[in-house]
Amino acid sequence: MASDDIAQLADALSKTHVGDGELSFKGLGLKLDDSESVAELLGKIEQYPGLRALRLEGNTVGVEAAKAIAKALESKDQLQRCYWSDMFTGRLRSEIPTALMCLSGALMSAGARLTELDLSDNAFGPDGVKGIEQLLKSPSCHTLRELRLNNCGMGIGGGKILAEALIECHKKSTAVGSALRLKVFVAGRNRLENDGASALAKAFQLMGSLEEIHMPQNGINYAGVMALASAIRHNPELRVLNFNDNTFTKRGTLAMAQALRHLRNIQVINFGDCLVRSEGAIALAAVLTEGLPVLKELNLSFGEITAGAALVVAQAVMDKPHMEKVNLNGNCLGEDGCDVLREVLDNVHKGEMLASLSEDEGEPDDEEDEDSDAGDSDGSDECYETGECEEIVKENGGESPEKSESQAEILSFLSNPSAEKLSHMKMNLQQEVNVSEPNKAAELFLKIGSLHSQDTVANAVVFEVIDGVLKKVLSASALQSHCFLTTLLVMIGVLKGEGKVKKVPLDQGQLLCLEHAVQQEYFTQDHASVLHTLLSRNGDALKFCSSARDRLSSALEKKSHKYH
């Protein structure tokens, strides 16, 4: 090594931070190629008797240097925290796994018990994960609490290897009486996609100890999101969820909303740039109204959310005592929508919690549609046709065989509704409606409403059945009742839906039936507020039924302000 290089290295090492059991070479920009180049660094490591944390980030370590450092670490049995991010800059990708295996082997030989491991910003790919695979499976990681692998390019393969390593670590640690209780998991910008995310979801569900999950920018769409949603409901201590810049769409968002109902400690939700869209945003708002008591931050930016849905979200966060920030920037509110949103929050002295709306996309054009479920691998996004979305909000098992006859009668009624059929099977209709199938319930409501007429006696039957159906649907959870209302609005063209929506012909009678329902006790102030907010933003969709629309709007306004 040239004398100038030695002098430069000595000067850099003189800035080494020592204290509190931590030895830090952070950000020194050292180029450590061989054993000679690390001689002074090794001296500092060896002379530190109670080493608990080692910072090597911001340097570049070659294979021979890694071997030398590993030798020095073999005696450091008290080491707990390894901050080793960004330490392979300029190295061949093929070198990194070998270097990691050397360092991992040293930790295992020393009998170290790690609590934190940070290898972020090391572009090591799937092979790099293999370099730490044995470490993650070993007793050295039974005590691991924080694992940070941000921006490592793991890919699907690396995600699967990581998941299997964590699962094995949990099984082995449980067998010796001290189960792995990982609290913080960070793996953004890793191209995990659906398969990698689904594999990790299995590990998350098994551990059940996570408090923070950060997985932004991973190319995950609804299939992977649904797997993650199933896992997070088994982690009751979760405080932070960051899935920014993945593709939820409606199915993924509904799955997340359902999972969030089971969590009481969430403080930060970052679903920004996740394409949650209006229906998804309203579903999340429903969960906010009945749960998430300590939520502080909600990010739904850049999600193609329209003004009405954004207002529903704003109304849901108003009463959250710990709420500090709601981000709805980059959506489709339009100038007027932005103004109304600001005004609504300013009126309750919560304007400061609203993030900037400077990048709003403006109101969507009528010809724009959401038929393409962006990111869906199979393209089968006919949510309303297939009922897949409804499966997400189901809480009961499948239907029993004895119900098939009643269902056949309902199908007959739906295909050709008549007052005679309605009168004959009104009890069946009320009993068979499934609160977990918002699409079928909404279609049923509209079919019954289509029988509204000038005949007082016939209308009494219509209203009786409407009351029975809606009392059952709207007494369900806020998530299920909101799903029903948004599905209804999509079907009648007030709210833009996702996928190929099955529209139902609308007439005055159906809106008058809805007006009747609004005036009943089962139709709560919250239901009225949501419906009134959405209808007021896009009432023009019902202009061909203007008289009934105005009566409905008046009833909604009266109900939503009744207790104000």
Side-chain angles (χ1 to χ4, degrees), residues 222-294:
Y222 78 92
V225 173
M226 289 171 72
L228 289 167
S230 295
I232 67 172
R233 65 193 296 173
H234 296 280
N235 288 263
E237 300 304 315
L238 267 170
R239 295 181 294 106
V240 179
L241 277 180
N242 177 6
F243 293 119
N244 189 285
D245 199 9
N246 290 291
T247 307
F248 282 27
T249 59
K250 178 180 175 178
R251 276 174 281 189
T253 310
L254 287 181
M256 276 292 172
Q258 182 71 306
L260 287 169
R261 294 184 63 219
H262 299 268
L263 304 175
R264 304 287 296 174
N265 297 302
I266 292 286
Q267 297 179 11
V268 178
I269 295 174
N270 186 344
F271 295 164
D273 206 10
C274 284
L275 210 62
V276 301
R277 293 178 171 153
S278 296
E279 290 174 277
I282 294 167
L284 292 171
V287 177
L288 277 165
T289 62
E290 64 177 2
L292 304 177
V294 295

Side-chain angles (χ1 to χ4, degrees), residues 209-355:
S209 57
L210 287 165
E211 296 179 8
E212 297 185 23
I213 300 175
H214 302 263
M215 295 175 66
Q217 285 185 284
N218 269 297
I220 307 168
N221 68 30
Y222 78 92
V225 173
M226 289 171 72
L228 289 167
S230 295
I232 67 172
R233 65 193 296 173
H234 296 280
N235 288 263
E237 300 304 315
L238 267 170
R239 295 181 294 106
V240 179
L241 277 180
N242 177 6
F243 293 119
N244 189 285
D245 199 9
N246 290 291
T247 307
F248 282 27
T249 59
K250 178 180 175 178
R251 276 174 281 189
T253 310
L254 287 181
M256 276 292 172
Q258 182 71 306
L260 287 169
R261 294 184 63 219
H262 299 268
L263 304 175
R264 304 287 296 174
N265 297 302
I266 292 286
Q267 297 179 11
V268 178
I269 295 174
N270 186 344
F271 295 164
D273 206 10
C274 284
L275 210 62
V276 301
R277 293 178 171 153
S278 296
E279 290 174 277
I282 294 167
L284 292 171
V287 177
L288 277 165
T289 62
E290 64 177 2
L292 304 177
V294 295
L295 188 67
K296 293 181 178 180
E297 296 183 23
L298 176 64
N299 185 347
L300 297 179
S301 59
F302 299 94
E304 293 189 4
I305 300 168
T306 54
L311 286 169
V312 173
V313 172
Q315 290 165 352
V317 302
M318 283 180 189
D319 296 327
K320 293 295 170 188
H322 303 283
M323 199 71 188
E324 297 173 0
K325 185 177 181 181
V326 57
N327 189 345
L328 291 163
N329 197 19
N331 284 299
C332 306
L333 312 187
E335 186 175 348
D336 179 61
C338 289
D339 289 342
V340 172
L341 183 61
R342 292 189 191 99
E343 182 181 352
V344 163
L345 289 171
D346 282 338
N347 286 344
V348 292
H349 310 291
K350 297 290 181 72
E352 72 283 351
M353 76 166 58
L354 183 63

Side-chain angles (χ1 to χ4, degrees), residues 381-504:
D381 46 349
E382 298 181 11
C383 229
Y384 291 103
E385 297 288 346
T386 64
E388 287 181 42
C389 287
E390 293 162 358
E391 293 297 323
I392 296 165
V393 296
K394 282 187 178 180
E395 298 202 343
N396 301 317
E399 301 294 340
S400 58
E402 54 266 27
K403 292 186 178 181
S404 58
E405 185 177 344
S406 295
Q407 290 174 337
E409 288 183 343
I410 293 174
L411 290 174
S412 173
F413 174 79
L414 291 174
S415 63
N416 187 23
S418 70
E420 183 181 357
K421 287 181 181 178
L422 182 64
S423 181
H424 174 68
M425 58 179 297
K426 58 184 180 181
M427 290 305 298
N428 279 345
L429 286 172
Q430 294 171 27
Q431 292 171 1
E432 295 298 318
V433 65
N434 192 330
V435 298
S436 62
E437 295 181 337
N439 177 64
K440 292 178 182 177
E443 183 178 3
L444 179 60
F445 168 84
L446 292 171
K447 292 289 188 180
I448 297 169
S450 69
L451 300 177
H452 184 280
S453 68
Q454 300 298 319
D455 186 329
T456 305
V457 176
N459 276 348
V461 176
V462 169
F463 287 152
E464 180 186 353
V465 181
I466 287 287
D467 289 339
V469 168
L470 292 193
K471 186 175 182 178
K472 186 175 182 179
V473 172
L474 297 179
S475 63
S477 70
L479 177 58
Q480 288 175 322
S481 60
H482 278 54
C483 282
F484 166 77
L485 292 174
T486 54
T487 301
L488 181 63
L489 292 179
V490 168
M491 283 185 165
I492 65 176
V494 170
L495 188 66
K496 183 171 289 188
E498 181 179 288
K500 296 179 180 178
V501 180
K502 184 176 182 180
K503 295 286 182 67
V504 175

Side-chain angles (χ1 to χ4, degrees), residues 364-381:
D365 296 331
D366 290 340
E367 57 269 18
E368 289 181 5
D369 60 50
E370 295 178 347
D371 285 354
S372 175
D373 203 357
D376 289 4
S377 58
D378 61 2
S380 59
D381 46 349

